[in-house]
Amino acid sequence: MSSLSPSQSQSSASVRTILTLLASRNAQLVAGGEGLERRVTWACCMRSRLPAFDTVQGGELALLRLQQLRRLDETLPHLLKSLHQAGVAVIAVAARTEAEIDEESRDLANQLRLPLILLPLSASLEQIAREVSTFVASFQGEIERKATDIAHQLMDLSVQGAGIQGLCDALANSRQKWVLVQDADQSIRFQSAPAMTSLLTLPQPFTDELLRAQGFIRVVDPILMRHEVVGYLSLIGRESDFDFLERIILGKVTPILAIEFARERERSEVESRYQVEAFTDVLQGHYQQPEEMLARARLLGYDLTTPQVVVVFEVAQSEHVVSAPSTQWSKWIRDELLRIWPNCWILPETRRVTALLPLLELGSTAEEERENENTLYTRMERVLSRVPVNRSKSSNQPLYSCGIGRIAQNLSGIPLSFREAQQALEIGRRLFGEGNLHSFARLGIYRLLFHLNGHNELNDFYQETLGPLLSHDSTYVDTLEGFFRCNGNLSEMARTMHFHRNSLLYRLNRIEALLGRSLEDPELRLSLQIALKIHHLKQR
């Protein structure tokens, strides 16, 4: 970006401007020319006693007579150092000739980039101080007026609905600087560039040091809403392009942006409420006409005319989701689901994430349904692999589980898929523990047994079938499980269970004797396998 034009530069109360103002008094710059863009805020004269200058606050034009300085037994180089440390912008010395200002003082002024001006010995320092102070005050009033005019223009744009981006664009063109708006966490949200220029490639992470390395600086103010910092507004440009106006503008524009942030937050809360209500109605089937619900979803950007499946992620009850990064777990899940299913509908909560995952048109045969369920399960395994489950107390990542419902072919099937996902989560946690993926389609007979657990009929069946083994030797149950796992193959049982074949044969004969029936009986086998499932259920 090009520097400001001379007329723009001279509109600021800089040393260069003050030097022009004093030209009629035969003032001339003798050193410190690199500091001509310093800002001048006031003017003050040297006192007749030490300290030579009192209550210096920074930005002043310090006026002094060389003869008076000598009477105070003070040297000009020492005074230059002291005033520079105090933040004085420029020093004007009244002396007979330029030669009276020694070379050491000039060299020091150049080194400090502190402008050093020579005034005629006859100059009235008190009158010059009054003129400069009046000029600075007048300039500051003009700056305030300009800033107010810009703020009024931006407020009009805000009322017209320009939004944050529109306000940033207008401010960038008005001040010929880049405008940046960041969130409270300092992530970049909006950037605008002056007309005929391109956006800046900002370093990540964005820091003032890295910005300075590109030859830019910025002035920045927080955006406050009810004493809460909700963001930051920055003006970015070359150092020589900044004056008082930028800082005053920021102070007047940030309240306007705070209004925009409040509108955005309110709009987001309304949209979020509408999203939650619509999502809940879909999951629970609370609607009169399917066409109406499909239209509501379509307005929110979701197509529910394709097959859908409901998945539910939930943090274990024993987990305390209170600190970062544990509070971010739902965001991680959300981001990963969107990576695989860009058009999915997600409801993130503190301890739970519920999602509707859209699927392609599916076949209707039993084989195709199994293939689709397996494909879905594999993709969900990928999600869990990319968002690791915490299985140790050393990590801040919370322990969570996931339940998957069966695929719903249409809108009316989604509530059933939701109930199945919840049941899969509940049953899977009970049987297999936390931190796992539980598919309703893979739970098999456990779906029936889980809801019968605790009923007298189920307990009676369990005791009648496995009771003789449990009361005699509980290890017979393990042998029986190995028998069914290996489909009755004794050689395979001996290998996997590390028993001698004859020992296994003896144990199986004892089991048959205790049960009073042969394991070759298909009815007994079915009853025993169901009873073993109940045994697992009761052990959890």
Side-chain angles (χ1 to χ4, degrees):
M1 186 179 75
S2 62
S3 299
L4 295 173
S5 66
S7 61
Q8 288 173 306
S9 297
Q10 290 174 6
S11 68
S12 63
S14 64
V15 174
R16 186 187 303 277
T17 310
I18 300 303
L19 192 58
T20 302
L21 182 68
L22 298 178
S24 61
R25 296 180 177 274
N26 296 322
Q28 56 179 310
L29 181 72
V30 296
E34 293 187 20
L36 290 180
E37 302 308 323
R38 288 170 175 257
R39 308 297 174 228
V40 179
T41 60
W42 203 246
C44 57
C45 296
M46 188 180 75
R47 304 193 319 165
S48 59
R49 61 183 184 280
L50 293 175
F53 290 89
D54 194 16
T55 64
V56 173
Q57 297 180 355
E60 288 90 351
L61 161 65
L63 298 151
L64 62 97
R65 295 187 182 280
L66 198 57
Q67 292 177 343
Q68 189 178 4
L69 184 66
R70 290 167 181 165
R71 284 198 296 270
L72 293 177
D73 199 22
E74 173 70 285
T75 66
L76 185 56
H78 182 267
L79 184 62
L80 289 176
K81 290 181 182 179
S82 300
L83 294 179
H84 176 263
Q85 290 176 354
V88 164
V90 54
I91 297 174
V93 179
R96 291 188 182 88
T97 63
E98 184 178 341
E100 282 196 89
I101 301 178
D102 58 87
E103 187 174 348
E104 180 185 357
S105 298
R106 297 185 192 191
D107 291 342
L108 182 58
N110 287 327
Q111 179 184 342
L112 298 177
R113 298 181 180 180
L114 178 62
L116 186 58
I117 296 174
L118 173 67
L119 292 173
L121 186 62
S122 60
S124 171
L125 302 188
E126 290 76 13
Q127 186 175 353
I128 291 175
R130 286 193 298 272
E131 289 178 1
V132 170
S133 296
T134 300
F135 173 80
V136 169
S138 174
F139 162 74
Q140 290 176 341
E142 179 67 13
I143 288 293
E144 184 76 22
R145 186 192 62 77
K146 287 183 179 180
T148 300
D149 288 345
I150 292 173
H152 285 165
Q153 294 170 12
L154 295 181
M155 179 59 81
D156 289 341
L157 288 174
S158 176
V159 171
Q160 295 167 19
I164 297 176
Q165 187 65 64
L167 296 181
C168 291
D169 293 343
L171 183 57
N173 288 325
S174 171
R175 297 308 302 153
Q176 285 298 295
K177 292 178 177 62
W178 287 271
V179 178
L180 189 70
V181 173
Q182 296 169 277
D183 276 334
D185 62 1
Q186 299 194 14
S187 59
I188 298 172
R189 288 202 55 202
F190 300 94
Q191 187 194 160
S192 294
M196 309 303 292
T197 60
S198 58
L199 296 176
L200 293 175
T201 302
L202 296 173
Q204 293 295 336
F206 177 61
T207 64
D208 289 340
E209 290 73 18
L210 292 174
L211 187 65
R212 196 173 293 111
Q214 295 185 2
F216 295 99
I217 66 166
R218 69 166 176 165
V219 289
V220 57
D221 257 11
I223 302 170
L224 298 174
M225 192 163 64
R226 297 194 187 100
H227 307 293
E228 172 194 358
V229 176
V230 296
Y232 297 90
L233 171 64
S234 298
L235 288 174
I236 299 174
R238 305 294 180 184
E239 185 171 4
S240 61
D241 294 345
F242 284 92
D243 57 29
F244 288 141
L245 184 56
E246 269 67 38
R247 177 61 67 184
I248 298 175
I249 285 174
L250 287 183
K252 292 183 178 295
V253 173
T254 49
I256 301 173
L257 287 180
I259 295 173
E260 292 293 336
F261 269 77
R263 288 174 179 165
E264 189 178 76
R265 179 179 292 184
E266 182 178 350
R267 186 163 54 245
S268 176
E269 289 174 354
V270 170
E271 291 175 355
S272 178
R273 273 199 310 273
Y274 190 75
Q275 286 260 9
V276 171
E277 290 173 0
F279 192 83
T280 303
D281 288 345
V282 169
L283 293 181
Q284 297 180 355
H286 291 168
Y287 48 84
Q288 295 294 326
Q289 299 295 330
E291 293 77 13
E292 178 188 346
M293 190 67 251
L294 290 173
R296 283 177 64 191
R298 197 176 300 114
L299 285 173
L300 294 170
Y302 303 105
D303 180 10
L304 300 185
T305 60
T306 62
Q308 307 278 326
V309 65
V310 179
V311 296
V312 178
F313 295 84
E314 193 168 82
V315 174
Q317 290 299 320
S318 58
E319 293 285 315
H320 298 286
V321 186
V322 292
S323 60
S326 63
T327 52
Q328 295 294 312
W329 82 278
S330 61
K331 181 180 183 301
W332 296 334
I333 293 291
R334 178 181 180 276
D335 292 346
E336 190 56 33
L337 289 176
L338 288 171
R339 192 184 69 82
I340 302 177
W341 293 277
N343 298 319
C344 66
W345 195 351
I346 303 174
L347 176 61
E349 300 171 86
T350 304
R351 304 190 68 89
R352 170 182 277 214
V353 174
T354 306
L356 263 174
L357 308 181
L359 305 176
L360 298 175
E361 291 294 337
L362 306 173
S364 57
T365 67
E367 183 178 351
E368 288 174 326
E369 287 181 359
R370 283 195 298 272
E371 182 180 347
N372 293 328
E373 297 284 358
N374 290 333
T375 300
L376 174 64
Y377 191 87
T378 300
R379 289 184 174 182
M380 291 305 301
E381 285 183 317
R382 197 177 308 153
V383 171
L384 264 68
S385 70
R386 292 175 66 90
V387 186
V389 177
N390 174 30
R391 301 184 187 278
S392 66
K393 294 183 179 180
S394 60
S395 172
N396 286 328
Q397 173 72 26
L399 180 65
Y400 64 90
S401 301
C402 176
I404 310 174
R406 287 182 296 185
I407 297 172
Q409 297 293 334
N410 49 46
L411 177 66
S412 61
I414 291 176
L416 177 59
S417 180
F418 176 51
R419 290 194 297 272
E420 290 172 347
Q422 291 179 305
Q423 290 173 12
L425 191 59
E426 183 182 3
I427 296 170
R429 282 170 156 174
R430 179 78 175 271
L431 293 175
F432 310 111
E434 295 283 1
N436 296 300
L437 184 62
H438 310 295
S439 170
F440 186 84
R442 296 190 172 202
L443 288 176
I445 197 172
Y446 283 120
R447 295 177 348 218
L448 300 175
L449 299 179
F450 185 82
H451 296 289
L452 292 173
N453 189 30
H455 287 62
N456 292 334
E457 292 83 358
L458 191 74
N459 293 332
D460 292 344
F461 174 82
Y462 174 67
Q463 289 298 328
E464 289 169 5
T465 308
L466 281 187
L469 302 184
L470 294 171
S471 61
H472 190 273
D473 186 346
S474 61
T475 61
Y476 284 152
V477 172
D478 297 332
T479 303
L480 196 59
E481 285 190 321
F483 175 79
F484 288 119
R485 191 166 50 247
C486 298
N487 294 317
N489 187 318
L490 291 180
S491 298
E492 182 67 14
M493 284 182 66
R495 187 182 68 80
T496 58
M497 299 182 68
H498 307 291
F499 273 98
H500 192 275
R501 180 185 174 88
N502 291 339
S503 297
L504 284 175
L505 190 58
Y506 169 78
R507 294 176 70 84
L508 291 173
N509 288 334
R510 286 291 298 149
I511 289 173
E512 288 180 329
L514 290 169
L515 295 176
R517 296 170 67 182
S518 171
L519 291 176
E520 297 298 322
D521 184 346
E523 290 293 331
L524 176 62
R525 284 195 177 197
L526 176 59
S527 296
L528 286 173
Q529 290 185 72
I530 293 175
L532 287 173
K533 298 292 187 185
I534 299 172
H535 181 71
H536 280 296
L537 192 62
K538 289 183 174 296
Q539 297 302 307
R540 299 292 177 177

